[in-house]
Amino acid sequence: MTRDRDFGVGVVGVGKYLPDRVLSNADLERSTGMSAAEIEEKTGIRERRQARDDETASEMSAAAARDALAMAGIAPEELGLIITCTFTGDYVYPAVSCRIQDIIGARNAGAFDIMANCTGFQVGLGVASDRLLADPSVGPALVVGTALQSRFINYADAASAIYFGDGVGAAVLDRVDPGYGIIANDVSANGRAFDAVRLRGGGSSHPMRPDNVDQGLQYYEIQGLEVWKQVVQNQPASIRRALAKLDKTVEDVDFFVFHQANLRLIEFLMGKIRQPMEKTVINVDRYGNTADASQAIALCDAVTQGRLKKDDLVVLSGVGAGFIFGTTVMRWQG
């Protein structure tokens, strides 16, 4: 159970950025040899977005951040913290959060990155809310989920190319009325599946050298069956653990926001927890799997579409490479 406080920490503004360029299943049929109809049947995805050659992760992130700040009515210089959840920042290091801080003019904000892959935004929400709960001197927090993945995809490899898209989602967290906002979190991991989804090139075990540039280390590698197994075995358990901290069950939840990896997987999850699809938001058909940005963009869509009402119990849940499983429960204040 959460401790009694005279305030909570919740989402007060959301924003998103999707590149204009659309990559359709017909485009991928030409590059992968898998038919457009088979791609949609397997994934539920019809198209995804792809950044232009001159777009950067930091600029895309700043665009989403500005929208979230505008909705929240908070000026950049009021921010006390910026957390960017990504593994596709501008550079290997430094943290892209520092570039975002500079672009948007958030000169008073501390900044750092988190890598938790496709559940990164959910983990970032938990870290940001913990900081605001623990330290009264910390101002509002900006949590950004950033995915510029197209530059790490081999578009001849159907195992990865059919899923991934580019995009950014952002949320501003601030102090809200007691009992509202983020009220429970759960994070767990299974390192035994560490190599099931990976990008080896550029890591310290696989630095990019002239003698290995032809080995494909700079591209995503995915074992699809292992991903499915990790999700179906562990994500429902994460949801139930987070809800149990509040003496709640899935039947008490008003709305679910999932990582948008695969429409068929979301359908399976909702069936496994015996909840109707009407209680969740779907955009994977239009945006594909946007990794760390996925839950942030989905939350933004749910808010702007008026899907969330005051007092709703909302669950955000995702699974990221590693494997990392996470769930955040919010009491929506609006």
Side-chain angles (χ1 to χ4, degrees):
M1 298 293 291
T2 56
R3 291 185 299 165
D4 291 334
R5 295 184 179 90
D6 60 0
F7 66 91
V9 173
V11 173
V12 297
V14 292
K16 68 179 182 180
Y17 176 83
L18 282 306
D20 294 332
R21 182 186 291 171
V22 174
L23 188 66
S24 69
N25 287 349
D27 296 325
L28 291 174
E29 181 174 348
R30 288 188 286 271
S31 66
T32 66
M34 180 181 286
S35 74
E38 185 180 359
I39 293 171
E40 184 170 356
E41 180 181 0
K42 181 181 177 68
T43 68
I45 301 169
R46 297 194 304 270
E47 59 187 36
R48 65 289 292 147
R49 301 298 181 91
Q50 188 180 59
R52 299 187 311 269
D53 292 345
D54 62 346
E55 288 187 294
T56 65
S58 56
E59 290 165 343
M60 291 166 56
S61 300
R66 291 187 185 104
D67 284 351
L69 287 164
M71 180 182 284
I74 290 174
E77 57 268 22
E78 295 179 76
L79 287 174
L81 181 64
I82 299 172
I83 299 174
T84 307
C85 313
T86 191
F87 53 94
T88 56
D90 291 1
Y91 307 150
V92 173
Y93 76 90
V96 73
S97 292
C98 296
R99 178 65 61 83
I100 296 167
Q101 182 220 39
D102 182 51
I103 293 173
I104 68 174
R107 58 181 180 272
N108 298 311
F112 58 88
D113 291 359
I114 285 176
M115 185 190 292
N117 304 93
C118 292
T119 198
F121 179 73
Q122 177 270 325
V123 172
L125 289 179
V127 172
S129 63
D130 287 350
R131 291 295 303 125
L132 267 65
L133 289 168
D135 188 346
S137 71
V138 177
L142 172 69
V143 181
V144 185
T146 301
L148 206 173
Q149 306 178 94
S150 54
R151 293 166 193 171
F152 305 97
I153 302 296
N154 174 3
Y155 283 101
D157 176 21
S160 57
I162 64 175
Y163 293 105
F164 295 103
D166 297 335
V168 179
V172 176
L173 274 65
D174 203 356
R175 293 169 179 87
V176 295
D177 293 341
Y180 287 95
I182 294 169
I183 52 178
N185 277 293
D186 176 79
V187 178
S188 61
N190 177 18
R192 292 189 298 274
F194 182 74
D195 283 310
V197 181
R198 63 190 185 184
L199 175 58
R200 293 180 291 165
S204 60
S205 295
H206 298 276
M208 298 304 297
R209 306 291 192 201
D211 61 350
N212 67 12
V213 294
D214 296 325
Q215 295 177 19
L217 300 176
Q218 70 272 35
Y219 298 126
Y220 286 10
E221 300 170 84
I222 298 172
Q223 299 173 25
L225 184 59
E226 183 64 28
V227 173
W228 184 280
K229 184 173 75 172
Q230 291 299 319
V231 172
V232 300
Q233 288 181 348
N234 293 285
Q235 192 169 4
S238 175
I239 294 169
R240 291 190 173 98
R241 282 195 303 269
L243 289 167
K245 296 177 183 181
L246 305 166
D247 294 325
K248 301 290 186 182
T249 69
V250 291
E251 287 74 22
D252 297 309
V253 177
D254 296 294
F255 203 79
F256 295 87
V257 179
F258 290 118
H259 165 49
Q260 305 283 304
N262 178 331
L263 177 57
R264 309 307 169 212
L265 195 51
I266 296 172
E267 291 170 339
F268 184 91
L269 282 170
M270 288 298 276
K272 192 172 179 67
I273 62 176
R274 300 181 180 180
Q275 296 297 297
M277 287 295 291
E278 291 76 17
K279 290 175 68 171
T280 192
V281 60
I282 298 295
N283 62 29
V284 67
D285 55 327
R286 292 170 288 131
Y287 304 145
N289 179 343
T290 54
D292 298 75
S294 168
Q295 292 175 80
I297 295 171
L299 178 63
C300 182
D301 285 352
V303 172
T304 56
Q305 292 168 14
R307 303 287 302 275
L308 305 184
K309 305 181 299 296
K310 185 173 181 179
D311 294 319
D312 276 355
L313 192 67
V314 180
V315 161
L316 285 86
S317 185
V319 175
F323 264 71
I324 304 167
F325 317 100
T327 299
T328 292
V329 185
M330 299 187 293
R331 179 68 69 185
W332 193 254
Q333 180 166 314

